[in-house]
Amino acid sequence: MPSADSRPYFKILQKFTPDYAPCTITKYESERTGMSIVVVDRQGPKVNGFFALATEIHDDSGAPHTLEHLCFMGSKSYRYKGVLDKLATRAYSNTNAWTATDHTAYTLDTAGWDGFAQILPIYLEHVIVPTLTDAGCYTEVHHVDGSGHDAGVVYSEMQGVQNTQGELMELRSKRLMYPENVGFRYETGGMMEQLRVLTADRIRKFHRDMYQPKNLCLVIVGDVDHANLLQILEKFETTILDDIPRPDAPFQRPWVESDPAPPLTKSTREFVEFPEEDESSGEITISFFGPSCNDLLYATALNILLVYLAGSSASVLENTLVEKEQVASAVYYSIEIRPTIVIQFALSSVATERLQDVEGRFFEVLKNTAANKLDMTYLKDCIARERRLIKDSAESSNTPFSEPIIYDFLFANRDGSMLKEDLENLNEFDELLTWPEEKWRQLIGLWMSDAHHVTILGRPSATLSKKLRLEEKQRIEDQKKRLGRTGLEALEKKLAQAKAENDKDIPKELLERFHVPSTKSIHFIGTTTARSGAAKKLGHLENNVQKLVDSDDNGSPLFIHFEHVPSNFAHVNLVISTEAVPVELRPLLSVYLENMFTSPIERHGTRIEFDRVIMELEKDTVGYGIGLASALGNPEVLNMRISVEVEKYASAIRWLKEIIWSSVFDVERIASTTVRLLADIPEAKRSGSNMLFAVEEMIHSAPASVVRARSTLVTALYLKGVRHLLKEDPNILIGQLQQIRDALFKFENIRAVVMANVEKLNKPVSSWAAFTAHLDTSKTLNPIEKRLSRLSEAGRKPGQLSYVIPMATIDSSFALLVASGPSSLQDPRIPALMVALSYLDAVEGPMWVAVRGTGLAYGTSFSRHTESGQVSYSVYRSPNAFKAFQTGKSVVEDFVSGKTEFDKLALEGAISSIVLGFANGQATMAAAAQMSFVRQVMRELPDDWNERILEKVRGVKVEEIRTAMKELVLPVLKAETANLIITCAPVMQGELVKGFQDLGFKPEVRSLAYFQDDYGIEVPAGEKEEELLDVEDTSEDEDEDGSNDESDS
């Protein structure tokens, strides 16, 4: 029996406050079990937990990934599937997990400390002492169902990714980088052929080996009660001592005490084919070994070099290969934090016939860079900017430092000494500023240009695409014959028994033991609003910040909305109306916006080339960009943003003015952008999910919609017309771009938003004088256009439209249904609808259990789109989207009819999830400031709307929820009131069409080309894609549906 000794077992190893971040970091270690805890104390409404275990395996069985799933199926004291998530939902919490090559992490995302503290010991017991039953393994990992198809949550997940371009290239690269005795060589998610033979005993053994407290680190970020935390953990440890290996038993620390990865002894280049009907472009990845991850100085130097080489359009590789030579659409870099860091470059959308040539050119540029003089001014600017970005991230990230803390636990000294060295200050940047140029060039040679490497040339193959489909079809047929009717019936019975065991009802008294926590520990971040110019028409404000703004008022009518937060950075935004842009030119916004910050400018009669502009921008800012204002709740307007240190506020405004009105429309830059955007389209068209929503944009939005005009299915044609126009008469195109600029940047179209510590801003209002000096400020501010006004007839009145789009690049199916819904947040039906959708979509809620729990989809969700007056239902990555839909429809119908009663505890959980959603939207200072602007300006809601809506949500009655489901949710699932879109593997087409036809839908089978629109631009003959279907014969494949394949969300 465990000792009754009550002395404290957790000792502090490190405690420090980073000198650049508003937080304190404390590392504890248990003297009893060796468990590590790192707390990052910071203010805000959220508490986030990352429970990380170092996990190492030397095969492709998928044991780490499958174990991650099975831990949610029950624990020693809570032996019921779903109990963890049902309790978490009631405690303003959400759980999730991921499996990486070197670790598995379980996450707990909570509003307030009280909810986090309530769930923490229950969650940890699921991780350390899970049930791991045969039945859970059978349904969650892999089984063959009664129709002879392979299924299982994990199996279906990996089925959706195993034969994708990225997965095939990454796996081959790993095989070439690492020998068989090194775990980084393997696919920890599991290969399908190995998942089919993986046993529960193998998973249990992996758990025994790896899931020990001494191999566990809890990273907790937020407003944490340390005394309460340690009390909870000491009590938890006492309950598990009899269930874990002796804490003092021998243990080989994963990765650190394993065989190290040997250096590469030669360079290797291989072609890897991936399934794709469009064979025009491929991908390249090039991998190297870098420095030790525990060498802070050199790891930081590596990051600086990568930014210098490929961090922006001004960097060496991107500037040469993408902007000037246009042999790739982008050059990306990434690093994998491992004992020896892995450096990888990826070149996207490379012409297939030029893959080898472009790889050779990559190394030419790299070697030339190492051999010649570096631009030390720019390199030092990169150092300074990276330091600024770290400071900004420490302030703006919801979970700062969680990633470096996890990697410190995996690979560094367990005493936290290296963690303190890494995070306490940024002194390494000061040292790097003193390095001579020669040292930087030597490192480029050492790690990259002269280093052994592994190159993977990803080559698209239509033949492989067809081969994989036929092989899978034949494998299933052979499996059915081998099993026979008797075998299939036995498997169906076995599956039913496993499901029955897994789905035992959770005793209500177990759930009732845990009350919904108080919201008192949820500390929302407060902001203070001030207004200037036309913004004052929204109402007079009385506060100190407003007085400060008024004291600098120069009489300018420019709409300026200030949100005051205690930040070291100023986030300056322009919200810009698009109404004046001619509809036929709106697709050209893709080119215009892409070039906005990467064009030459005229400054005092001197032309500044685009790469110099980018260098100057990066020197002054921590971020900049322009795009649709989706994050502000309205994708039909534009949001132009620049973020700077607060003392550079005036500089941000100067940049906005210069970028807008002094940019030069340069034919070469426009051509480069057009080629790059066109090159990315084949890759975009490979995603079933992306194309599902692209088709949705095309049918539900009117041509006037900016969202539609920038869709892949418009740009796929329109940019070919732009390319043709650049060759034939570029002056016409220049004129059109000028027309767009003139239409956008009028005084009456612009609203400025400043999120900063206003007390630190020098001249918060009068700094804008130069920006408006040449504008006609007598104009009245235009209203913000509404998404609702830019819907098509089908978008305004859904019903009767149904499309099935076969895609050879995917192995599963995706579905989206859209119906009409409330178009105002002040609609009295909104509170009940919010609760209804939260109830249905809850983790381990009705839809989860019925669809995910039976393996019918990787995920499903209902969404309300108030800005467009719609409600939608989506099915993500399903082996049979019809069966997932049909099952979900039955769930809703049973609630509407009264056949299924609403569960009181689950309703409490649904309301708690809504509270968590509000906390998520205000998790950081910047997010809270942005949300305040959106509420007041974009949505025109009263100051206390959050409080009002939460009060109404808490007061919603069961009958109101039932009514919402009947009047607003059920119509999304009916042919007469909803539009249906499906993307699927060709082999699934026949079954899906037949299924939806039987329910009254009238699906048309179409290719993506059917939905494309050129907006009237002239596209050269032969470049328009014909509406041809490359699908399998419906009659032949009618039974090949992949039905009942299980997958997870």
Side-chain angles (χ1 to χ4, degrees), residues 839 894-895 898-903 958 962:
Y839 186 92
D894 287 350
F895 279 113
K899 181 179 178 181
T900 302
E901 294 295 329
F902 289 92
D903 181 83
V958 166
R962 200 186 312 277

Side-chain angles (χ1 to χ4, degrees), residues 310-464:
S312 72
S313 295
S315 60
V316 179
L317 292 167
E318 182 89 4
N319 188 268
T320 304
L321 301 177
V322 178
E323 301 296 344
K324 293 177 179 174
E325 298 179 6
Q326 299 169 24
V327 295
S329 67
V331 178
Y332 303 105
Y333 72 85
S334 62
I335 58 172
E336 289 281 351
I337 304 298
R338 293 173 180 171
T340 301
I341 292 173
V342 174
I343 306 160
Q344 185 174 92
F345 290 95
L347 285 73
S348 62
S349 302
V350 178
T352 304
E353 68 276 8
R354 297 200 62 195
L355 286 169
Q356 287 179 276
D357 294 340
V358 173
E359 187 232 6
R361 181 63 181 137
F362 171 90
F363 278 102
E364 284 180 10
V365 176
L366 203 55
K367 288 178 181 295
N368 286 338
T369 303
N372 294 297
K373 189 174 179 63
L374 300 181
D375 183 343
M376 288 302 293
T377 300
Y378 179 52
L379 193 144
K380 289 183 177 181
D381 286 344
C382 290
I383 295 172
R385 189 167 196 265
E386 285 302 296
R387 189 205 299 258
R388 290 198 302 275
L389 288 172
I390 290 174
K391 291 180 178 179
D392 179 53
S393 176
E395 183 181 289
S396 63
S397 169
N398 188 23
T399 55
F401 306 127
S402 57
E403 186 173 303
I405 290 170
I406 289 173
Y407 284 115
D408 177 85
F409 173 74
L410 294 179
F411 305 130
N413 299 334
R414 286 284 172 87
D415 63 5
S417 57
M418 299 178 80
L419 181 69
K420 182 176 181 181
E421 178 189 349
D422 188 7
L423 300 181
E424 188 171 29
N425 55 57
L426 300 176
N427 292 346
E428 64 272 18
F429 289 91
D430 295 327
E431 184 168 348
L432 293 178
L433 285 169
T434 68
W435 279 14
E437 182 218 16
E438 180 63 25
K439 187 162 187 173
W440 291 102
R441 290 198 290 114
Q442 287 174 352
L443 292 179
I444 295 174
L446 175 67
W447 292 330
M448 290 169 271
S449 62
D450 298 330
H452 293 309
H453 57 274
V454 170
T455 295
I456 302 296
L457 305 177
R459 183 165 55 194
S461 170
T463 302
L464 178 61

Side-chain angles (χ1 to χ4, degrees), residues 38-108:
V38 181
V39 179
V40 181
D41 283 297
R42 59 174 282 154
Q43 296 299 307
K46 298 291 298 296
V47 180
N48 291 90
F50 302 85
F51 313 145
L53 298 116
T55 47
E56 180 178 1
I57 197 166
H58 291 184
D59 60 44
D60 299 315
S61 66
H65 185 198
T66 53
L67 176 57
E68 172 223 307
H69 282 248
L70 291 171
C71 282
F72 289 93
M73 301 285 282
S75 70
K76 178 179 73 169
S77 306
Y78 307 90
R79 306 183 70 83
Y80 301 93
K81 175 187 175 186
V83 66
L84 172 63
D85 285 304
K86 285 182 179 293
L87 291 172
T89 300
R90 286 165 49 77
Y92 316 115
S93 299
N94 184 42
T95 68
N96 210 332
W98 73 76
T99 302
T101 304
D102 48 28
H103 71 279
T104 303
Y106 297 83
T107 64
L108 180 58

